[in-house]
Amino acid sequence: MATKRLRDTRNYSENMRNSILERRETSLFKKAEELSILCDVEVAIIIFRPGKIHPIAWKSTSLAQNVLTRYLSFIEFKRLEKLVTHEGYLQKKVNKKEEHISKLEKMNEAKEMEILFNQLVEGKSIDELDAREMKGLLKVFAAKMAKLDERKKELNQLPNPPSNKENITSPMEESFNDPWFIHTIATLGDGSGIEHAPKEGNDINVEDDGHSKDLD
């Protein structure tokens, strides 16, 4: 649910301010009742009106006094451990907004410097730049050089050897150990009549005419 914009009531009349306060008190008491039921805690509210001697206590004066007395009975660091003041709450919101604005400014500056860098590549004169733009371009150059160095290291890095220590043979190495492949390679050419002695244990015999004959 979107938060409503708070109105500055300092220039309002006293009757108007009292009317607004009463409506806000009703809404505040309702939220406190919901919080007390949902979280099973005791909630007390004490409101001091300007110019009034007796404060407004919710739910009752006795309950508010009891809760306040028990709160004050704790030692100081226990009381301040989770204490949230209105000023502290607003300061946290301001810090969060400032952090968000700072992040957006850095993003916009980075995009601006990237556009300016492309303009220089296309032929824009560097004499047209001011000190802020020069400083931003130096950061862009440094970042691009770092990326280039990282890419060079990746290209120069040798591939890692296989993790397993088993003998890995390629299809070409298996062909070199195949007798039929050796015989076929030897018979290619101009038929110079090179003889190859048959290997023991093979079923193929190489004859002088360059043809193979199955042994019986």
Side-chain angles (χ1 to χ4, degrees), residues 94-155:
V94 170
N95 294 339
K96 189 175 181 179
K97 287 293 184 181
E98 289 179 349
E99 183 180 354
H100 181 65
I101 293 173
S102 178
K103 187 181 296 185
L104 291 178
E105 289 178 348
K106 290 181 180 179
M107 291 176 58
N108 292 335
E109 184 179 1
K111 291 181 179 179
E112 181 184 355
M113 293 301 109
E114 191 70 25
I115 294 173
L116 186 59
F117 177 81
N118 294 333
Q119 291 177 353
L120 288 176
V121 173
E122 293 174 357
K124 182 177 181 178
S125 176
I126 197 172
D127 297 332
E128 302 176 8
L129 306 179
D130 55 16
R132 185 187 67 85
E133 293 174 339
M134 291 290 293
K135 186 177 181 180
L137 283 175
L138 289 176
K139 294 181 180 180
V140 175
F141 293 151
K144 291 186 178 294
M145 289 299 298
K147 289 183 179 180
L148 287 176
D149 293 339
E150 184 178 355
R151 184 58 178 164
K152 287 180 181 179
K153 291 179 181 179
E154 292 178 358
L155 294 175

Side-chain angles (χ1 to χ4, degrees), residues 14 18 47-56:
E14 184 177 357
N18 291 333
I47 301 175
F48 289 91
R49 285 188 177 186
K52 301 292 182 178
I53 300 176
H54 300 288
I56 300 173

